[in-house]
Amino acid sequence: MKKRNILLVALSTPVLALLLGGCSCGASFSEWWYEKNTDDPSSVGIVLPNDTIIDPMADHVQEKSNDWNITASVVPAEEAEASLASIGTNRYGAEKTRQFFVALGQDVANRFGALKNFKLVGSPAADPSGITEVHTSAPNRLTYNLTQLSSKYTQGKYHDAVWVNGHKIADSYRDPDYYTATAGVQVALIDDAGNQRFSINAVVSANADTAENASSMAIKAAVNDVMYQYGMRYAPPGHVTMMRGDGLFAKINIGQNDGVTLGMPVRFIQYVSIGKLGNQDNIQENIIAIGNVVKIEGESSWVKINCYHHKVVHIGCLVKLGN
């Protein structure tokens, strides 16, 4: 009997640790539960305005980052014709491939046109796949290319009925057939001297009921990945403007118009002066918390903070995209 009691206590210890100690970062059970199961900022209350520690360097850093404004025409890359010819020969045919290319150009124009530091100019191109003609007042060209597009058919797997002691407990069934498409997209910014200011490549796969639907979904997903990479590289730093859920969620003042996309990692940072280096201040950037974007609007986003119970994120804290 004594051995049995010891065994029960041993088995209960992990459960008690979870209930009393919470997650691995030391949160209580309720804090762990909210962090794991709550993803909607509007479902929890606003933190009262006693949480107003403003980083004294926030304005300075924000101003330094907002000096990149781009005027550009959206046009096919120079190698686009060769790429389309190759794709059309291999799988889809010239007409269908060009339709995919037109959709790609429109999506790129819409997504970059929504960014506040991009001004897209140009007149309609004679060839609709060109989207716009190069405009004389545009010092830059935003070029796009469909670098690859392929699809693969997969037949759904058949599952036998399940019998137990002569009784059928599950009918036989077959998974749906589906197509997997893989799309490669390249977007680059070229200045009027022919210098490449950036080039972003994305290769993404998607599944759907037809090859055409799978291809359309893969192209859109690839453009979304391009925007994700752009935001990670070039979105300006922002700062926290509101807190919800006792600090679980932080609203930041950068959003879709700055290149932020759902799921992006975010780091909350604090600048600390550690003396001077020569005649200049020696400023150190410290990461005080991390999180991910869970809700996005044009001018703002909501970030879910990991191990939020430490309460180190405040209104006014600076944020940057990326780990």
Side-chain angles (χ1 to χ4, degrees), residues 39-58:
D39 290 313
D40 181 10
S42 64
S43 68
V44 290
I46 296 175
V47 174
L48 295 176
N50 61 348
D51 192 16
T52 55
I53 301 174
I54 306 296
D55 191 319
M57 299 187 67

Side-chain angles (χ1 to χ4, degrees), residues 127-146:
D127 181 350
S129 66
I131 309 301
T132 62
E133 302 284 5
V134 177
H135 200 277
T136 55
S137 64
N140 302 280
R141 290 175 291 135
L142 187 67
T143 68
Y144 59 93
N145 189 20
L146 189 62

Side-chain angles (χ1 to χ4, degrees), residues 14 17 65 162 175 189 257 284 317 320:
S65 68
V162 178
D175 295 329
L189 184 66
N257 297 348
Q284 178 174 298
C317 275
K320 288 185 178 181

Side-chain angles (χ1 to χ4, degrees), residues 18 21 24 62 74 78-79 102 140 149 178 194 213 218 229 253:
L18 176 62
S24 59
Q62 188 71 17
V74 183
E78 293 180 356
E79 60 272 22
V102 171
N140 302 280
L149 186 64
Y178 65 94
N213 288 342
Q229 294 183 56
N253 68 332

Side-chain angles (χ1 to χ4, degrees), residues 205-273:
S205 297
N207 299 331
D209 56 342
T210 67
E212 184 172 344
N213 288 342
S215 298
S216 296
M217 291 171 61
I219 292 171
K220 283 186 173 296
V223 173
N224 194 62
D225 188 65
V226 167
M227 301 309 300
Y228 181 95
Q229 294 183 56
Y230 174 84
M232 293 286 285
R233 295 188 201 178
Y234 302 114
H239 60 270
V240 176
T241 60
M242 182 185 294
M243 304 289 294
R244 279 186 177 270
D246 200 27
L248 176 58
F249 297 103
K251 187 177 184 180
I252 61 177
N253 68 332
I254 54 175
Q256 186 173 6
N257 297 348
D258 301 288
V260 181
T261 61
L262 285 174
M264 275 188 169
V266 173
R267 63 188 190 274
F268 298 83
I269 59 179
Q270 185 178 57
Y271 287 94
V272 178
S273 177

